[in-house]
Structures are given as structure tokens and as C-alpha cells.
Amino acid sequence: MSVTLADILTARRRIQGTAVRTPLVPSPHLSRLAGHDFLLKLEIGQPTGAFKLRGATNAVFGLPEGVSGVTCCSTGNHGRGVAYAARDRGLRAVVCMSELVPQAKIDGIKALGAEVKIGGRSQDEAQIEARRLCEEEGLVEIPPFDDGRVVAGQGTIGLELMEDRPDLDMVLVPLSGGGLAAGIAFAVKTISPKTRLIGVSMDRGAAMHASLAAGHPVEVEEVASLADSLGGGIGLDNKLTFDLCRQYLDDTILVTEDEIYRAMQTLYFEDRLVAEGACVVGIAALQAGKLPVPRGPLATIITGRSVDMDVFTRIVTGRDVTLGNLTLQGQPYAA
Ligand SMILES: *Cc1c(COP(=O)(O)O)cnc(C)c1O
């Protein structure tokens, strides 16, 4: 499995009309802090609220004629992307989930026109149900990150970044399974080899970071995080994103939950944006002094806005937030 620039150009044509070309806007506050332009790629402007619509649309629209429908197990941004893209192409979509998934998430997926199949008490059992649908009903499973069409779809963000700001010194990419980072890093490095690509994750349960350090895919314990969209593994049988991240990322950086808390406040008070914790890890790394010294403009991807509004309100009002066995001490925002 591999990805080429031609695949990403094809993806751009395919997703046009479903996913939008998002703006790249300057953050005056973060630019002052960085000493260079600091730019925000606003993927929260996608119709599903997250960039995953790009990869999902490229995968769904790339399927041959005659496919009876698609399925996936994600209850988060990928599930929303698959549901939206399938409806746009007039295909049946079935999202498999465990019975522990909250009703609000089920309603959100159904509102996008997808069927929901509740099976079992874990994500693994939901996965088995998806496999069964593929075998018995001829549905095609759309993977969340480890897939060439998905990576090429996310890579369209890299093309747009280079068109808007070919002078970027650094791109900070929120990193989980690595579909986003692999696609952007491949596109940007191919066009501009001198631009530095940094993957950023939370320090608890960063599967790609641990895998790159080990030299092969490893499992990490999954714990609650403000950056919940960055949780989960990369797959021990990872076929694509591990190799691409190893080849095209210059570095990976980890940030703490306290640093994410503060960066969510910064993005809200300074840039007036409502976004999930996964978006702000690059901002958190800048504020914590963890980035290499910038030599020119920087950009980060504001990846999604699927944030729990109760948690968000607690953070912007400076209250404590409890994540499993960790309680973050609240503090009002101060620039
Ligand atoms: C999925 C996701 C990511 C990470 O993308 P990967 O391709 O899994 O690395 C980042 N932010 C948000 C909001 C996401 O939904």
C-alpha cells in the first residue's frame, strides 16, 4: 500500500462539492508568541465539523459502481464523515457501535441518514458485527486511518496549506492513528522538503509516538483525555500510516492534559473558537516551549469541534475537570 501525489490530486477532485476548502487564518496572539505568523487551518468548518470528511469522502466516492453500501465502527468524527459521504453518493451506510455508546452520539449519526447497529458491549464486538455485514450483505468497510484512499483524502489539507502559504517553516499536526499526519506530511514534504512536520499527541496513550520510538507498532493503554479524538491504537498490523509517519514526520511531541486545558482556553479567548481538545495540541506545545525554534511561519490544523459542551464550559470558566482518575485543577484564563 502506498500514496502518491497523483492520488491526492485525484482525492481533491473527488471530494470537491462534499468537503469544503477551508480557510487558513492568522492568530495574532499566537503569532506574537511564536515570533512568526501562526496560522490556523479551520477544519471545524467542514459540514460534519471535522476533517475526517475528506478521507471518508475520497474512500466512499472511490468505490466501484454496484457496491451495496458502506460500514464502519467509529462513533466519532469518522463515523459522521462516512455517514455524510454515503448519503451524498446515495449509498446505504451502517455504523456499528457497542451498547455503551451514549444516545446523543447515536442520534447524531442517525441524523446524517445512516443506520445504526448496536452489537455487543465493546468496540471489538462492534467490529465483529461490521465484518459480518461485509461478508453477508456485501457492505464495504471504510477504515478510519490505515487506508490509502483515506490518507490521500486527508492529504488534500497539505495541498491547500502549500497553495496558501508555500513559505511555511513548520506544520503542527494532531496525531492519533496517523491518517491526517501521513497525508499532510507526504503532500507537504513532496512539495516543500524544507518544511518541518511535527506530530503532536497527548502524553497519556500516544500510540504512534510509542510505536515510532519502538520501531514497530505497539499497543498502549487507553486512558481518558481532553484530546479524546486522539485516543486508540494504530493497529498492530498497521499497513500504511506507521511507515509514512516514520518517513515523513520530522518529530513527535507530547503535551500534558494541563497544557491542553490551557490551550483550549487560549483558542477560545484569543481566537474565539470552539474546538475539541485534539485541535489544540500544537498550540499547547508552543505555549509549553516544547517546539523547535521557528524560522518562519507555522500552521496547525484545527481538526474538529465535536467537544462535550459541559466539559468545554467548565474549561473556559476555569473550573476543575475530572478525567478518569485524574483531576485537572481549574484556573481562569490569563494571557
Ligand atoms: C481523527 C482525529 C484526529 C487524528 O487523526 P488521525 O488520522 O487518527 O491521526 C485529530 N483530530 C480530530 C478531531 C480527529 O477526529
Side-chain angles (χ1 to χ4, degrees):
M1 226 195 256
S2 71
V3 172
T4 65
L5 205 52
D7 294 333
I8 300 176
L9 290 164
T10 300
R12 164 143 69 186
R13 273 198 310 278
R14 272 203 200 119
I15 70 175
Q16 208 176 25
T18 301
V20 302
R21 190 190 196 290
T22 53
L24 183 66
V25 303
S27 166
H29 173 80
L30 295 171
S31 299
R32 271 194 302 278
L33 193 61
H36 294 273
D37 285 354
F38 193 104
L39 303 146
L40 309 172
K41 179 75 168 155
L42 298 184
E43 290 297 308
I44 51 178
Q46 295 294 350
T48 54
F51 76 88
K52 284 213 176 62
L53 181 61
R54 294 178 186 253
T57 301
N58 189 44
V60 169
F61 279 60
L63 293 172
E65 290 296 323
V67 165
S68 66
V70 294
T71 184
C72 70
C73 298
S74 162
T75 60
N77 290 323
H78 177 62
R80 297 175 63 80
V82 169
Y84 190 95
R87 186 178 59 180
D88 240 34
R89 193 183 150 174
L91 279 179
R92 178 181 176 212
V94 183
V95 179
C96 302
M97 37 183 105
S98 90
E99 58 198 40
L100 304 176
V101 169
Q103 189 64 35
K105 284 200 164 183
I106 298 175
D107 294 344
I109 297 275
K110 281 187 175 163
L112 291 168
E115 295 165 46
V116 169
K117 276 244 157 68
I118 310 283
R121 291 192 58 78
S122 70
Q123 200 53 24
D124 287 347
E125 288 180 50
Q127 180 71 50
I128 291 167
E129 175 64 9
R131 290 274 143 77
R132 192 193 65 76
L133 286 168
C134 293
E135 277 162 29
E136 294 177 13
E137 303 190 26
L139 302 188
V140 177
E141 188 172 353
I142 308 292
F145 55 85
D146 197 25
D147 178 279
R149 298 157 305 175
V150 171
V151 169
Q154 322 305 27
T156 58
I157 295 172
L159 291 185
E160 293 173 15
L161 286 172
M162 285 290 98
E163 284 167 355
D164 291 353
R165 287 302 294 260
D167 58 338
L168 285 178
D169 168 45
M170 226 187 286
V171 183
L172 312 172
V173 188
L175 175 63
S176 176
L180 179 69
I184 292 179
F186 175 81
V188 170
K189 281 282 185 198
T190 305
I191 296 166
S192 169
K194 67 170 196 342
T195 303
R196 293 179 283 177
L197 273 295
I198 315 279
V200 194
S201 306
M202 65 291 180
D203 63 359
R204 312 193 317 152
M208 185 61 86
H209 176 85
S211 299
L212 291 170
H216 56 88
V218 296
E219 287 193 71
V220 295
E221 197 194 339
E222 200 171 336
V223 289
S225 169
L226 289 179
D228 53 319
S229 284
L230 301 184
I234 71 164
L236 290 179
D237 59 346
N238 188 289
K239 292 183 264 315
L240 183 63
T241 60
F242 174 74
D243 285 335
L244 286 174
C245 286
R246 181 158 58 174
Q247 192 177 346
Y248 293 102
L249 288 182
D250 291 277
D251 203 358
T252 55
I253 291 176
L254 303 180
V255 292
T256 67
E257 296 298 323
D258 284 316
E259 288 162 356
I260 296 170
Y261 181 109
R262 183 166 152 66
M264 288 176 78
Q265 289 185 326
T266 303
L267 190 66
Y268 178 72
F269 284 103
E270 301 294 346
D271 300 288
R272 296 293 195 261
L273 292 176
V274 177
E276 48 182 291
C279 304
V280 300
V281 289
I283 295 167
L286 171 71
Q287 288 181 325
K290 292 179 173 177
L291 290 184
V293 178
R295 301 190 285 249
L298 306 85
T300 194
I301 321 302
I302 305 302
T303 46
R305 57 172 150 76
S306 173
V307 60
D308 180 309
M309 283 311 284
D310 179 52
V311 173
F312 188 80
T313 306
R314 295 190 72 81
I315 291 172
V316 297
T317 54
R319 283 178 284 166
D320 293 359
V321 174
T322 299
L323 297 163
N325 56 12
L326 176 72
T327 295
L328 303 178
Q329 209 72 59
Q331 200 158 30
Y333 178 66

